[in-house]
Coordinates of all heavy atoms in Angstrom, one line a residue:
L25 N 13.3 54.8 -26.0 CA 13.5 54.8 -27.5 C 14.2 53.5 -27.9 O 15.0 53.0 -27.1 CB 14.3 56.0 -28.0 CG 13.7 57.4 -28.1 CD1 14.7 58.4 -28.4 CD2 12.5 57.4 -29.1
R26 N 14.0 53.1 -29.1 CA 14.8 52.0 -29.6 C 15.5 52.5 -30.9 O 14.8 52.8 -31.9 CB 14.0 50.8 -30.0 CG 14.9 49.6 -30.3 CD 14.1 48.3 -30.6 NE 13.4 48.4 -31.9 CZ 12.9 47.4 -32.5 NH1 13.0 46.1 -32.0 NH2 12.2 47.5 -33.7
L27 N 16.8 52.5 -30.9 CA 17.6 52.9 -32.1 C 17.8 51.6 -32.9 O 18.1 50.5 -32.3 CB 18.8 53.5 -31.7 CG 18.7 54.8 -30.8 CD1 20.1 55.4 -30.7 CD2 17.8 55.8 -31.4
S28 N 17.8 51.7 -34.2 CA 18.2 50.6 -35.1 C 19.4 50.9 -36.0 O 19.6 52.1 -36.3 CB 17.0 50.3 -36.0 OG 15.9 49.9 -35.3
C29 N 20.1 49.9 -36.3 CA 21.3 50.1 -37.2 C 21.2 49.0 -38.3 O 21.4 47.8 -38.0 CB 22.6 49.9 -36.4 SG 24.1 50.0 -37.4
A30 N 20.8 49.4 -39.4 CA 20.6 48.5 -40.6 C 21.9 48.4 -41.3 O 22.6 49.4 -41.7 CB 19.5 49.0 -41.5
A31 N 22.4 47.2 -41.6 CA 23.7 46.9 -42.2 C 23.5 46.3 -43.6 O 22.6 45.6 -43.8 CB 24.6 46.0 -41.3
S32 N 24.4 46.7 -44.5 CA 24.4 46.1 -45.8 C 25.8 46.0 -46.3 O 26.8 46.5 -45.7 CB 23.6 47.0 -46.8 OG 24.1 48.2 -47.0
G33 N 26.0 45.1 -47.3 CA 27.4 44.9 -47.8 C 27.8 43.5 -47.4 O 27.2 42.5 -47.7
R34 N 29.0 43.5 -46.7 CA 29.5 42.1 -46.3 C 28.6 41.5 -45.2 O 27.9 42.2 -44.6 CB 30.9 42.3 -45.7 CG 31.9 42.8 -46.9 CD 33.3 42.8 -46.4 NE 34.2 43.4 -47.4 CZ 34.8 42.7 -48.3 NH1 34.5 41.4 -48.5 NH2 35.5 43.3 -49.2
A35 N 28.8 40.3 -44.9 CA 28.0 39.6 -43.9 C 28.1 40.2 -42.6 O 29.1 40.4 -42.0 CB 28.5 38.1 -43.8
F36 N 26.9 40.6 -42.1 CA 26.8 41.3 -40.8 C 27.3 40.5 -39.7 O 27.8 41.0 -38.7 CB 25.3 41.8 -40.6 CG 25.1 42.6 -39.3 CD1 25.8 43.7 -39.1 CD2 24.2 42.1 -38.4 CE1 25.6 44.5 -38.0 CE2 23.9 42.8 -37.3 CZ 24.6 44.0 -37.0
S37 N 27.1 39.2 -39.8 CA 27.5 38.2 -38.7 C 29.0 38.2 -38.4 O 29.4 37.6 -37.4 CB 27.0 36.8 -39.0 OG 27.5 36.3 -40.2
A38 N 29.8 38.8 -39.3 CA 31.2 38.7 -39.2 C 31.8 39.9 -38.5 O 33.0 40.0 -38.2 CB 31.9 38.6 -40.5
Y39 N 30.9 40.8 -38.0 CA 31.3 42.1 -37.5 C 30.7 42.3 -36.1 O 29.6 42.0 -35.8 CB 30.8 43.2 -38.3 CG 31.5 43.3 -39.7 CD1 31.0 42.6 -40.7 CD2 32.7 44.0 -39.9 CE1 31.7 42.5 -42.0 CE2 33.3 44.1 -41.1 CZ 32.8 43.3 -42.1 OH 33.5 43.3 -43.4
A40 N 31.5 42.8 -35.2 CA 31.1 43.3 -33.9 C 30.5 44.7 -34.1 O 30.8 45.4 -35.1 CB 32.2 43.5 -32.9
M41 N 29.6 45.1 -33.3 CA 28.9 46.4 -33.5 C 29.0 47.2 -32.2 O 28.9 46.7 -31.1 CB 27.4 46.2 -33.8 CG 26.7 47.4 -34.1 SD 24.9 47.1 -34.3 CE 24.4 46.6 -32.7
G42 N 29.2 48.5 -32.3 CA 29.1 49.4 -31.2 C 28.2 50.6 -31.4 O 28.0 51.0 -32.6
W43 N 27.8 51.2 -30.3 CA 27.1 52.5 -30.3 C 27.9 53.4 -29.6 O 28.4 53.2 -28.5 CB 25.7 52.3 -29.7 CG 24.7 51.6 -30.5 CD1 24.4 50.3 -30.4 CD2 23.9 52.1 -31.5 NE1 23.4 49.9 -31.3 CE2 23.1 51.1 -32.0 CE3 23.7 53.4 -32.0 CZ2 22.1 51.3 -32.9 CZ3 22.7 53.6 -33.0 CH2 21.9 52.6 -33.4
F44 N 28.0 54.6 -30.2 CA 28.7 55.8 -29.6 C 27.9 57.0 -29.7 O 26.9 57.1 -30.5 CB 30.1 56.0 -30.3 CG 31.0 54.9 -30.3 CD1 30.9 53.8 -31.1 CD2 32.1 54.9 -29.3 CE1 31.8 52.7 -31.0 CE2 33.0 53.9 -29.3 CZ 32.8 52.7 -30.1
R45 N 28.1 58.0 -28.9 CA 27.3 59.2 -28.9 C 28.3 60.4 -28.8 O 29.3 60.4 -28.2 CB 26.2 59.2 -27.9 CG 26.7 59.3 -26.5 CD 25.6 59.0 -25.5 NE 26.0 59.2 -24.1 CZ 25.2 58.9 -23.1 NH1 23.9 58.5 -23.3 NH2 25.6 59.0 -21.8
Q46 N 27.8 61.5 -29.3 CA 28.5 62.8 -29.3 C 27.6 64.0 -29.1 O 26.7 64.2 -30.0 CB 29.4 63.0 -30.5 CG 30.4 64.1 -30.4 CD 31.5 64.1 -31.4 OE1 31.3 63.4 -32.5 NE2 32.6 64.7 -31.2
A47 N 27.8 64.7 -28.1 CA 27.0 65.9 -27.8 C 27.8 67.2 -28.3 O 29.0 67.1 -28.4 CB 26.7 66.1 -26.4
P48 N 27.2 68.2 -28.6 CA 27.9 69.5 -29.1 C 28.9 69.9 -28.0 O 28.6 70.0 -26.9 CB 26.8 70.5 -29.2 CG 25.5 69.7 -29.5 CD 25.7 68.4 -28.7
G49 N 30.1 70.1 -28.6 CA 31.2 70.5 -27.7 C 31.9 69.4 -26.8 O 32.8 69.7 -26.0
K50 N 31.4 68.2 -27.0 CA 31.9 67.1 -26.3 C 32.6 66.1 -27.2 O 32.3 66.0 -28.4 CB 30.8 66.4 -25.5 CG 30.0 67.2 -24.5 CD 30.9 67.7 -23.4 CE 30.1 68.5 -22.3 NZ 29.1 67.7 -21.7
E51 N 33.5 65.2 -26.6 CA 34.1 64.2 -27.4 C 33.2 63.0 -27.6 O 32.3 62.8 -26.8 CB 35.4 63.7 -26.7 CG 36.5 64.8 -26.7 CD 37.8 64.2 -26.1 OE1 37.8 63.1 -25.7 OE2 38.8 65.0 -26.1
R52 N 33.4 62.3 -28.6 CA 32.6 61.0 -28.9 C 32.9 60.1 -27.7 O 34.0 59.8 -27.4 CB 33.0 60.4 -30.2 CG 32.1 59.3 -30.6 CD 32.3 58.9 -32.0 NE 32.1 60.0 -33.0 CZ 32.1 60.0 -34.3 NH1 32.5 58.8 -34.9 NH2 31.9 61.0 -35.0
E53 N 31.8 59.5 -27.2 CA 31.9 58.6 -26.1 C 31.3 57.2 -26.4 O 30.3 57.1 -27.1 CB 31.5 59.2 -24.8 CG 29.9 59.4 -24.8 CD 29.4 59.8 -23.4 OE1 30.1 59.5 -22.4 OE2 28.3 60.3 -23.3
F54 N 31.9 56.2 -25.8 CA 31.3 54.8 -25.9 C 30.0 54.7 -25.2 O 29.9 55.2 -24.0 CB 32.4 53.9 -25.4 CG 31.9 52.5 -25.2 CD1 31.7 51.7 -26.3 CD2 31.6 52.0 -23.9 CE1 31.2 50.4 -26.1 CE2 31.2 50.7 -23.8 CZ 31.0 49.8 -24.9
V55 N 29.1 54.0 -25.8 CA 27.8 53.7 -25.1 C 27.7 52.2 -24.8 O 27.5 51.7 -23.7 CB 26.6 54.2 -26.0 CG1 25.3 53.8 -25.3 CG2 26.7 55.6 -26.2
A56 N 27.8 51.4 -25.9 CA 27.6 49.9 -25.7 C 28.2 49.2 -27.0 O 28.4 49.9 -28.0 CB 26.1 49.6 -25.6
A57 N 28.5 48.0 -26.8 CA 29.0 47.1 -27.9 C 28.6 45.7 -27.8 O 28.3 45.2 -26.7 CB 30.5 47.3 -28.0
I58 N 28.6 45.0 -28.9 CA 28.2 43.6 -28.9 C 29.0 42.9 -29.9 O 29.4 43.4 -31.0 CB 26.7 43.5 -29.3 CG1 26.2 42.1 -29.1 CG2 26.4 44.0 -30.6 CD1 24.7 41.9 -29.1

């Protein structure tokens, strides 16, 4: 699968981005960042 994250508002290029995931009954966990 390919997930997309569309950004709006302030300049996207000024921000680092991360992906996190959370399963039922579990804590939110880090997946990847750029």
Side-chain angles (χ1 to χ4, degrees):
L25 284 173
R26 188 181 73 166
L27 306 184
S28 296
C29 177
S32 62
R34 298 184 184 275
F36 184 56
S37 61
Y39 295 85
M41 184 187 70
W43 287 95
F44 297 81
R45 65 188 184 188
Q46 188 166 22
K50 303 292 182 65
E51 294 185 355
R52 187 170 300 184
E53 67 173 341
F54 170 73
V55 176
I58 187 167

